[in-house]
Amino acid sequence: WRELRSRVLPLFNGEGLKGSIEELNDAVVDWLNESTLRSSSIRQDVIELATSGVLILNKRMVISGEETLLPRVLDLWSFFFGTIVPYVQGV
């Protein structure tokens, strides 16, 4: 899970995935298999990933100078739904 998490979270910084979708799909399969063997909460792991990602996005909400809140929110909203969500769905 830690490897998968470390390869997906950079998306929230705008860095792109660390590895190919196929490699990450394999990592997801391994994580799911491990989770069922150790009775880990898959739901809790996904919530933790989403929470960590949103905290990263929150740091990008800093407004400087003449910038106003609405354009910044629009940029982040577009980035999240146009970049992050499609990649996470692919994984």
Side-chain angles (χ1 to χ4, degrees), residues 11-26:
L11 275 174
F12 291 86
N13 272 329
E15 297 174 25
L17 287 175
K18 303 296 183 191
S20 69
I21 292 286
E22 293 80 10
E23 292 171 343
L24 292 171
N25 285 334
D26 291 341

Side-chain angles (χ1 to χ4, degrees), residues 12 50 53-54 57 74-86:
F12 291 86
V54 169
L57 286 177
L74 180 60
D75 287 344
L76 284 174
W77 188 265
S78 297
F79 172 70
F80 181 77
F81 284 103
T83 303
I84 295 172
V85 170

Side-chain angles (χ1 to χ4, degrees), residues 1-4 26-42 45:
W1 172 247
R2 289 182 183 156
E3 175 191 352
L4 180 63
D26 291 341
V28 168
V29 169
D30 292 342
W31 164 66
L32 289 172
N33 288 332
E34 291 172 11
S35 295
T36 56
L37 291 176
R38 60 182 166 86
S39 300
S40 176
S41 171
I42 294 169
D45 285 347

